[in-house]
Amino acid sequence: MSATAPSLLQRALDTALDRSMVLGYTKIGPAVRRRWWAPDAQAGSLAGEHVVVTGATSGIGTAMVESFLDLGATVHVLGRNATKVADLVADLRRRRPTAELVEEVCDVGDLDAVRAWTDDLTSRVEDLHAIVHNAGVMLPERTESPQGHEMALAVHVLGPHLMTERLLPALGAGGGGTVVIMSSGGMYSAGLRSTPDEIEYRDGEYDGVRGYARTKRMQVVLADAWSRRLRGGRVAVESTHPGWAATPGVSDSLPGFDKVMGPLLRTPASGADTAVWLVATRPDSSGTHHFWHDRATRPTTYPFQRRQEPDAERAFLDYVAGATDSVWPH
C-alpha cells in the first residue's frame, strides 16, 4: 500500500505494463503496481452499506462478494440460477456466520425480469450504495434474449443500462452511490458498432469471442456516457477490466488461452480488486474517461486506433435507449 503519488519512472513503467498487455494484464501487473498504487479501502468502510453484485455465483463475482463482506457491506448476491445463488449464500454463511447476505434472482438479459426485479429491490432497499454489473456470457452461436436482442448485448449492455436507470433514486439516496461496469481488455480489439444490424450482430457470420469484445467496447462507451449525464450528481459510473484471471468462464469459453496462459493468470480476487476499490473509495474521476484497471484510469483506445466518432456514439446510445424504452438526453 502506498500513500504517495507514483514517480515519473513508475508512471512510465505503469504505462509500459498497460501497453504490453501480457505483462500488465497477468499477475505480473499487480505484483509490480502495488508498490505505488492507491491505498486500500479502510477496514469497515462499507459497514451498513448495501451493495449488489450481478453474476455473483462464480469466479470474479464470488470474489467480489467476499471482498465486500470483508469491508462490512450487506451484499446482495444476484444470479439467474436460484439454486446456485442459494448454494453460494449457504456456503458463505457457514464460513462467515456474521455475514450480511441477501439472495437475489434475476436474468439480466431479460428486460422484463430486470424491471420486475428492480421494482422489488427498491421496495426493500431505500438506500443502495453500489451495483457492480458483472454478469457475462460468451456463446458459441448467436442467441436471442426474450425480447429478441442478441444475448451478449442484452446481458452486457441493455440489462445493465436499464438496471442503472431504474435504480438511480436508490443509488443517490445516501448521498453518494457508485455503479461499476465490468468490461474486458478484449474491448480494445473491437470498435464501436452503431447501426442496428451491427449492434445486434446480424452483420456477417457470428463469432462468440468477437460478440463478447464488441459488447465490452459498448460497455465502456456506456459508462462514459452515464458519467457525462450524471456529472456533478450523487452517482458515479465507472467501467473497469479485471485483467486476465483464472475463472470458470475463461476455462470454459477459451480453453486454449487458459492452457497457454494458466501459470500467469490472476486470481479471481485480483481480478475483482479494482471494482471493489472503486466502490469502497469512490476516487475522483472527473476526467473525460472512466475506464479503470489496477486502480488507475486507462485510455479507451490505443495510439494506433481511431477514437469513436460522436455520431456513432449518439447512434449507439439512441439504440440502447430505444431498446430499453428509456430516455437518453444528449
Side-chain angles (χ1 to χ4, degrees):
M1 185 172 84
S2 172
T4 60
S7 67
L8 183 62
L9 178 60
Q10 288 170 334
R11 288 197 297 271
L13 178 56
D14 182 75
T15 299
L17 287 168
D18 191 57
R19 299 299 183 274
S20 71
M21 291 176 56
V22 172
L23 296 177
Y25 289 12
T26 62
K27 63 184 181 182
I28 296 170
V32 175
R33 287 169 170 148
R34 65 169 51 99
R35 293 174 170 83
W36 63 76
W37 72 12
D40 295 340
Q42 294 183 354
S45 58
L46 294 178
E49 304 287 7
H50 290 260
V51 177
V52 175
V53 179
T54 76
T57 57
S58 68
I60 290 173
T62 300
M64 284 184 204
V65 172
E66 298 221 43
S67 295
F68 285 130
L69 289 174
D70 288 341
L71 293 170
T74 295
V75 184
H76 296 252
V77 179
L78 188 148
R80 64 186 178 90
N81 185 309
T83 300
K84 288 184 177 180
V85 171
D87 287 347
L88 174 60
V89 169
D91 176 63
L92 289 170
R93 284 177 174 152
R94 280 193 296 269
R95 294 188 286 113
R96 298 166 173 262
T98 62
E100 295 289 338
L101 293 151
V102 182
E103 297 177 27
E104 305 284 358
V105 179
C106 178
D107 182 349
V108 177
D110 182 341
L111 299 182
D112 290 337
V114 168
R115 292 185 179 96
W117 175 76
T118 51
D119 284 346
D120 177 56
L121 181 70
T122 52
S123 73
R124 295 182 278 118
V125 179
E126 294 182 357
D127 181 1
L128 180 62
H129 186 74
I131 181 167
V132 182
H133 295 298
N134 176 67
V137 296
M138 186 187 296
L139 301 173
E141 58 187 32
R142 191 179 183 281
T143 305
E144 291 190 348
S145 72
Q147 288 74 37
H149 301 292
E150 191 272 320
M151 190 61 77
L153 174 73
V155 173
H156 299 158
V157 180
L158 303 181
H161 170 73
L162 185 60
M163 277 189 179
T164 301
E165 179 84 47
R166 295 174 67 85
L167 293 177
L168 276 181
L171 283 161
T178 300
V179 177
V180 178
I181 301 175
M182 289 297 293
S183 182
S184 164
M187 72 96 190
Y188 284 113
S189 68
L192 179 66
R193 267 51 183 187
S194 58
T195 69
D197 282 347
E198 291 174 331
I199 294 170
E200 293 282 0
Y201 210 150
R202 291 189 288 258
D203 60 323
E205 184 177 356
Y206 186 82
D207 180 287
V209 176
R210 294 296 299 165
Y212 182 87
R214 287 184 179 195
T215 54
K216 291 298 171 177
R217 165 64 68 180
M218 294 174 194
Q219 286 183 319
V220 172
V221 173
L222 187 68
D224 281 354
W226 265 110
S227 294
R228 291 193 301 270
R229 173 177 170 179
L230 300 176
R231 183 171 293 147
R234 294 180 175 182
V235 181
V237 181
E238 316 289 353
S239 62
T240 180
H241 79 85
W244 295 337
T247 66
V250 170
S251 298
D252 293 343
S253 302
L254 300 170
F257 177 83
D258 183 57
K259 183 176 180 179
V260 172
M261 297 301 298
L264 289 175
L265 295 180
R266 300 174 179 222
T267 65
S270 177
D273 175 83
T274 296
V276 174
W277 176 81
L278 285 167
V279 168
T281 68
R282 299 191 86 239
D284 175 63
S285 61
S286 55
T288 303
H289 295 298
H290 303 266
F291 185 50
W292 297 76
H293 175 58
D294 281 350
R295 305 191 187 186
T297 53
R298 307 293 173 183
T300 57
T301 56
Y302 281 118
F304 59 85
Q305 292 177 309
R306 293 180 60 186
R307 296 187 179 277
Q308 284 97 219
E309 296 294 334
D311 288 348
E313 288 194 20
R314 282 193 292 271
F316 162 67
L317 295 173
D318 283 342
Y319 188 86
V320 170
T324 55
D325 194 25
S326 58
V327 177
W328 193 267
H330 296 308

